Amino acid sequence: TYTLPRALTSLAPFKTLAALSLLPLTLMASGCATTQNNPYGQADAQAAQETRSDQGFDENELVAGISKHLGVTSESAASVIERLFKERGRPVGYITGDEGGGALGIGVRYGKGTLWMKDGRSQEVYWQGPTIGFDAGADASKVFTLVYGLNDPNYLYQRFPGVDGSAYLVAGMAVNYQRANGVTLAPVRSGVGARLGANVGYTSYTRKRSLLPL
């Protein structure tokens, strides 16, 4: 279970979020518990290593993964995957994780998860970043992020701006695209449709947890 930083777990969050609302909006433009056994992927490591990474995961693997991780029906998961496959094709990896955040106009988001590659590689990843929208409050959710164009997992650790106009809802799940240096991420979240408008800004993916959402 993902635990929010202490600043978001008491009355202090309101002071913190109020202070964050004073950050210049140019901050947005400047940037443009998981285990090590893949719970949703390949049958065995040897077979995974023999699979070409550019072939990517197929629809059945991802429908099962999204359904189990996000706790949604297979039909709902299939609706999301069908649209993503039409737009982007097969992903070479995905991230399963948890995230939480809060907002008062300008807000923050923190997450932790594991990157699973089609060729069998996996590694831990953290993410954080500022958001801007017309909402207020706090939320916590599970996230299933499809990964495209990532040949080397080390290139995941960079700052990803959101893609304008990419946010949408499918079967009660919020989806948006993040893109940087040829790598595209498609986070899928369940139960956060009310905060979809807050997904404007950027997300920084790192090897270690950072309390600064920059």
Side-chain angles (χ1 to χ4, degrees), residues 42 48-49 51-53 55-58 61 91-93 116-121:
Q42 304 82 9
Q49 291 293 343
T51 302
R52 285 176 54 85
S53 62
Q55 292 179 340
F57 289 94
D58 63 35
E61 288 176 296
V92 298
W116 309 99
M117 297 293 290
K118 181 63 178 178
D119 62 11
R121 290 175 290 179

Side-chain angles (χ1 to χ4, degrees), residues 50-87:
E50 294 173 352
T51 302
R52 285 176 54 85
S53 62
D54 58 1
Q55 292 179 340
F57 289 94
D58 63 35
E59 293 189 41
N60 291 333
E61 288 176 296
L62 296 173
V63 167
I66 289 179
S67 177
K68 184 174 182 179
H69 186 69
L70 298 185
V72 299
T73 65
S74 297
E75 291 77 9
S76 295
S79 298
V80 173
I81 291 303
E82 181 180 5
R83 176 160 180 173
L84 288 171
F85 267 56
K86 285 182 179 179
E87 294 180 351

